[in-house]
Amino acid sequence: EDQVTQSPEALRLQEGESSSLNCSYTVSGLRGLFWYRQDPGKGPEFLFTLYSAGEEKEKERLKATLTKKESFLHITAPKPEDSATYLCAVQGSDSWGKFQFGAGTQVVVTP
Amino acid sequence: NAGVTQTPKFQVLKTGQSMTLQCAQDMNHNSMYWYRQDPGMGLRLIYYSASEGTTDKGEVPNGYNVSRLNKREFSLRLESAAPSQTSVYFCASSEAGQGDNEQFFGPGTRLTVL
């Protein structure tokens, strides 16, 4: 059974204070690892897909990396508008069509 | 291009009442999904439809039924609502295949069962 654990549950940062979010996963054959951003009262918004260990992707102040057991979402010099809940999900080769989500990390960036 | 739309946005039911949540997408995606989101538990898959004409159970299907009406529309029905079904429901769609198959989510339906 695919499993995803995200840590920490919540993170409070000062504007400009860089940090990393962790997504640990167990999956039988990784088809893809996905990062989403979710603002309060809205649906998740896609950020990145990572397919294989060593892969990295960047978007503005966000950078996602992938190893065989975990993924990190690095937030560099965050701004208050980066405040959101960040969700990680995996899709395994044995569970086509089924995405297993983690519980998310709630990030608050204060000025 | 509206993406994924859901109706209604909010709903309050009494225990035992039935209702259908509607979802439509205009991106010509093959796959559609229904999730529920509860505090501290993340998104849990209720049902999904890999393509028009097919549906499969997800992690938490009990108490729900689905219909893939056509390629655009995927509805979720609660036949006899229970307080445990109080949650936020999200519909999503994706283009299945070998490429990026990220999901696109609707704005959600907030359901309260009294």
Side-chain angles (χ1 to χ4, degrees):
Chain A
E1 184 179 317
D2 301 342
Q3 290 189 332
V4 177
T5 303
Q6 292 188 247
S7 61
E9 290 183 11
L11 190 60
R12 192 173 185 88
L13 300 171
Q14 291 277 352
E15 185 172 1
E17 179 188 0
S18 301
S19 188
S20 296
L21 283 55
N22 178 264
C23 171
S24 297
Y25 65 91
T26 303
V27 65
S28 177
L30 182 69
R31 284 177 55 92
L33 184 141
F34 305 83
W35 282 99
Y36 291 84
R37 169 193 171 120
Q38 186 175 23
D39 293 306
K42 296 189 176 182
E45 178 185 345
F46 171 74
L47 292 173
F48 304 109
T49 308
L50 301 168
Y51 293 104
S52 58
E55 190 174 0
E56 299 182 352
K57 288 193 176 175
E58 286 188 70
K59 180 179 181 179
E60 297 181 356
R61 294 175 294 283
L62 301 176
K63 179 180 178 180
T65 63
L66 181 65
T67 72
K68 288 187 177 180
K69 293 184 177 180
E70 57 191 351
S71 177
F72 292 93
L73 184 65
H74 307 279
I75 310 178
T76 302
K79 297 182 178 181
E81 53 262 43
D82 294 322
S83 298
T85 295
Y86 292 87
L87 302 172
C88 172
V90 297
Q91 188 182 24
S93 58
D94 290 348
S95 54
W96 193 98
K98 296 183 181 181
F99 293 75
Q100 184 68 44
F101 279 82
T105 294
Q106 184 179 25
V107 175
V108 174
V109 183
T110 56
Chain B
N1 192 340
V4 179
T5 57
Q6 292 182 237
T7 55
K9 286 187 168 56
F10 300 93
Q11 185 71 49
V12 178
L13 294 177
K14 294 181 179 179
T15 297
Q17 287 185 316
S18 63
M19 78 161 296
T20 300
L21 281 64
Q22 305 287 353
C23 173
Q25 52 92 7
D26 62 2
M27 295 172 283
N28 201 36
H29 285 167
N30 286 313
S31 302
M32 297 186 73
Y33 312 80
W34 276 106
Y35 291 91
R36 60 177 289 172
Q37 187 173 39
D38 302 293
M41 301 191 73
L43 286 158
R44 291 184 292 168
L45 183 65
I46 304 172
Y47 271 93
Y48 70 102
S49 172
S51 61
E52 186 178 356
T54 68
T55 60
D56 285 286
K57 295 178 180 180
E59 182 183 353
V60 288
N62 291 344
Y64 305 95
N65 285 301
V66 291
S67 295
R68 183 74 183 266
L69 305 171
N70 48 54
K71 192 172 185 179
R72 289 187 65 248
E73 299 172 287
F74 189 38
S75 63
L76 178 72
R77 183 161 179 84
L78 286 70
E79 291 290 352
S80 179
S84 61
Q85 294 178 305
T86 293
S87 187
V88 181
Y89 291 85
F90 289 101
C91 177
S93 70
S94 70
E95 181 56 56
Q98 297 301 314
D100 282 353
N101 54 353
E102 70 272 18
Q103 296 179 309
F104 295 83
F105 285 82
T109 295
R110 293 183 177 274
L111 175 66
T112 301
V113 182
L114 302 175

